[in-house]
Amino acid sequence: MKNILYKNTRISYTDSGQGTAIVLLHGFLENKKMWKDYVALFSEQYRVIAIDLLGHGESDSLGYVHSMEDNANVVQEVLKHLNIEKATIVGHSMGGYVGLAFAELFPKNINKLVLLNSTSKADSHEKKINRNRAIKAVKQNYVNFVNLAIGNLFSENNRARLTKEIEEAKVQALKTPLQGIVASLEGMKVRKDRASLLQKNLFPVLLILGKKDPVLNYEESITQIENTMAKLVSFEDGHMSQIENKEELKAVLSDFFE
């Protein structure tokens, strides 16, 4: 584990392998350990950096709102520290929001972007209301909120098949402090709509979606890449493709990285 300071806040990351840089960004209630199998595979051919975003894993919280821009600046600070000028970014869910913010803020530093179960669109009014409910719920019963939130990310048919993996995801999620959870919910709630960024076709984009994603509506999500050069890959499962569709995802990412 390695650390840097960003605004006097500890940021934890791993750095493995050599070659073209690939940055792995986890989602809400996750951390860099989520990527361990992917780091092991891709570090044989590439330089793979996995970062704990603000208030997650072993990175500290910065304040009451962890904006996607703040997280993007964290990524840039890690890359600067490692003397990496350009990287391919893979962002799962919230990590995808951060990847988009990074692409907007530092367009010369992005090689390719993978949006894994993520969207370039801002929260709808209804989604913002749900974020507020989530903030209230996690303050009332932290453990119950986390356990429910993680279980609900998987497609229904996988909840029995992947009990061991879901329990491990819950264990990791429960390491996320209350401040980190609330600040991230606040940050996601106010994030910018960046759908126009995909329309510009500035760099290769791969959108990976689960057809039974309980969090992101599949039909709505595919509209964000209409009239763009972005590629779409669809899996038959839920929001956690890195667990639910592990082997297929490894193959898809390998192709895209080449």
Side-chain angles (χ1 to χ4, degrees):
M1 301 299 171
K2 299 174 182 178
N3 299 289
I4 63 161
L5 283 180
Y6 169 73
K7 295 186 176 178
N8 288 323
T9 302
R10 181 184 61 168
I11 303 299
S12 180
Y13 67 95
T14 61
D15 177 15
S16 314
Q18 293 179 316
T20 305
I22 292 166
V23 176
L24 303 176
L25 303 177
H26 62 79
F28 177 59
L29 294 178
E30 300 165 350
N31 60 56
K32 62 183 179 298
K33 288 183 180 175
M34 177 194 95
W35 298 111
K36 63 181 186 295
D37 292 345
Y38 297 86
V39 170
L41 173 67
F42 292 120
S43 61
E44 292 175 9
Q45 195 175 347
Y46 304 99
R47 186 175 185 182
V48 183
I49 295 98
I51 303 173
D52 278 337
L53 297 172
L54 290 166
H56 285 72
E58 292 166 294
S59 290
D60 294 333
S61 294
L62 182 63
Y64 297 108
V65 180
H66 290 158
S67 71
M68 300 307 105
E69 292 80 5
D70 269 326
N71 276 303
N73 280 313
V74 162
V75 175
Q76 176 67 348
E77 285 301 310
V78 171
L79 293 181
K80 270 170 65 179
H81 178 73
L82 298 174
N83 294 313
I84 294 170
E85 285 188 19
K86 213 159 192 176
T88 291
I89 293 185
V90 180
H92 177 243
S93 197
M94 183 180 78
Y97 310 155
V98 175
L100 285 159
F102 181 90
E104 184 177 83
L105 291 170
F106 310 106
K108 292 178 181 175
N109 301 113
I110 190 157
N111 185 23
K112 299 178 180 180
L113 175 64
V114 179
L115 296 176
L116 175 60
N117 315 112
S118 193
T119 179
S120 59
K121 297 182 179 182
D123 272 2
S124 63
H125 177 67
E126 182 187 2
K127 189 83 174 179
K128 288 179 180 179
I129 291 170
N130 287 338
R131 299 266 191 222
N132 288 333
R133 284 186 185 136
I135 290 165
K136 191 174 178 183
V138 73
K139 286 179 177 177
Q140 285 176 341
N141 192 326
Y142 169 87
V143 174
N144 190 49
F145 170 83
V146 170
N147 284 332
L148 277 173
I150 294 297
N152 289 337
L153 296 175
F154 293 80
S155 63
E156 278 187 42
N157 53 316
N158 279 333
R159 289 173 197 171
R161 182 175 74 88
L162 296 170
T163 49
K164 183 184 167 192
E165 290 85 350
I166 292 170
E167 285 311 307
E168 174 56 25
K170 287 177 181 177
V171 167
Q172 293 300 325
L174 286 165
K175 294 178 181 177
T176 317
L178 178 62
Q179 184 184 353
I181 293 176
V182 173
S184 296
L185 286 165
E186 294 283 7
M188 289 189 287
K189 185 177 74 179
V190 299
R191 76 182 189 280
K192 283 174 61 177
D193 189 301
R194 290 190 165 91
S196 62
L197 191 63
L198 300 186
Q199 299 291 328
K200 293 176 183 174
N201 299 313
L202 299 173
F203 44 81
V205 174
L206 173 62
L207 176 65
I208 303 172
L209 298 172
K211 290 184 179 177
K212 295 173 187 165
D213 191 328
V215 180
L216 289 174
N217 179 280
Y218 176 76
E219 299 299 334
E220 198 178 294
S221 296
I222 58 176
T223 62
Q224 67 187 300
I225 58 166
E226 285 176 359
N227 305 314
T228 74
M229 302 288 285
K231 285 175 62 181
L232 171 68
V233 170
S234 304
F235 293 134
E236 294 299 323
D237 297 286
H239 192 69
M240 302 292 274
S241 296
Q242 73 278 16
I243 297 172
E244 295 177 87
N245 308 99
K246 186 183 283 188
E247 296 311 313
E248 303 102 304
L249 179 59
K250 285 178 182 175
V252 166
L253 292 176
S254 291
D255 287 346
F256 186 66
F257 292 160
E258 284 181 0

